[in-house]
Amino acid sequence: MNKILDEELSLQVSMSIKSKVEKPFENAYKAALCTEEAIYVQGFVVICQKPYHPIESAWLELTVDSSMGETSIHIIDPNFKYLTKKTKIIWYFPAQSLNMKKMKAIIEESKEDYPEDNPLPIYGKSPYEYYGDVMLGGKEYLVAYEKAIAKCQELSHLDTNYNGGQ
């Protein structure tokens, strides 16, 4: 199924929730609370801008049926305006997706069990695996991270070839 970044809705949602820079998980959580039928997604974002590196982030996905009977998934990224200083070329690599009911339940449980800790990001069931300074999560995080790294390497390689190896 085709996934489309809905830039206009991303900016509208960002403004309506008063998103904050460097708060991708909180921004996506707030956006999910006010966007019906949304799926909260955590994973990695790669932007076409040097230096090429994966950014751990969160966004929403919304299934949309067109008037022609086709179904597509719209990405609503309340962090979009903070990612696109010089480019609007972005790739998303999902690690986990949560429907609203599950997300709310996990947040509530986390607040009860660990009231002093921020419940976001959500990393799934323990035991977690730790991948250096990058993230804390299960195998799905490693797979998404490796795909994001591969995209960064591809962009870097294309950039080197385009600039004549300089």
Side-chain angles (χ1 to χ4, degrees):
M1 190 171 304
N2 203 14
K3 292 186 180 182
I4 303 160
L5 174 61
D6 191 326
E7 295 177 18
E8 186 176 326
L9 188 53
S10 293
L11 293 171
Q12 288 174 2
V13 168
S14 180
M15 286 177 28
S16 73
I17 64 163
K18 297 179 173 76
S19 70
K20 295 185 171 98
V21 69
E22 297 184 19
K23 298 285 186 185
F25 305 104
E26 289 83 356
N27 292 338
Y29 174 69
K30 285 187 211 174
L33 293 176
C34 65
T35 307
E36 289 186 37
E37 311 274 329
I39 301 294
Y40 172 89
V41 182
Q42 289 182 178
F44 296 89
V45 174
V46 173
I47 58 175
C48 191
Q49 179 178 325
K50 289 182 185 178
Y52 304 117
H53 58 56
I55 302 165
E56 191 175 13
S57 192
W59 58 90
L60 305 181
E61 291 184 356
L62 190 62
T63 302
V64 177
D65 294 322
S66 75
S67 59
M68 301 167 83
E70 296 177 2
T71 301
S72 62
I73 296 177
H74 286 224
I75 295 172
I76 303 166
D77 188 347
N79 308 294
F80 175 70
K81 69 181 183 180
Y82 305 117
L83 298 172
T84 59
K85 302 288 188 236
K86 296 180 183 174
T87 183
K88 290 190 177 191
I89 302 171
I90 302 173
W91 292 269
Y92 291 85
F93 300 91
Q96 79 169 326
S97 303
L98 302 167
N99 65 33
M100 293 298 296
K101 184 178 179 180
K102 188 170 186 174
M103 181 189 66
K104 286 179 181 179
I106 290 170
I107 295 293
E108 288 304 313
E109 182 180 341
S110 296
K111 286 179 179 179
E112 288 176 18
D113 293 348
Y114 307 100
E116 67 282 351
D117 293 336
N118 185 345
L120 294 168
I122 299 167
Y123 287 115
K125 297 188 183 288
S126 59
Y128 303 124
E129 296 187 36
Y130 187 65
Y131 303 105
D133 292 335
V134 178
M135 68 196 135
L136 179 69
K139 292 291 184 196
E140 66 279 357
Y141 264 83
L142 180 59
V143 169
Y145 181 71
E146 288 173 343
K147 288 179 180 178
I149 286 289
K151 177 52 87 176
C152 291
Q153 290 170 341
E154 175 188 336
L155 292 171
S156 181
H157 180 71
L158 289 172
D159 198 39
T160 300
N161 287 342
Y162 178 73
N163 290 324
Q166 296 175 351

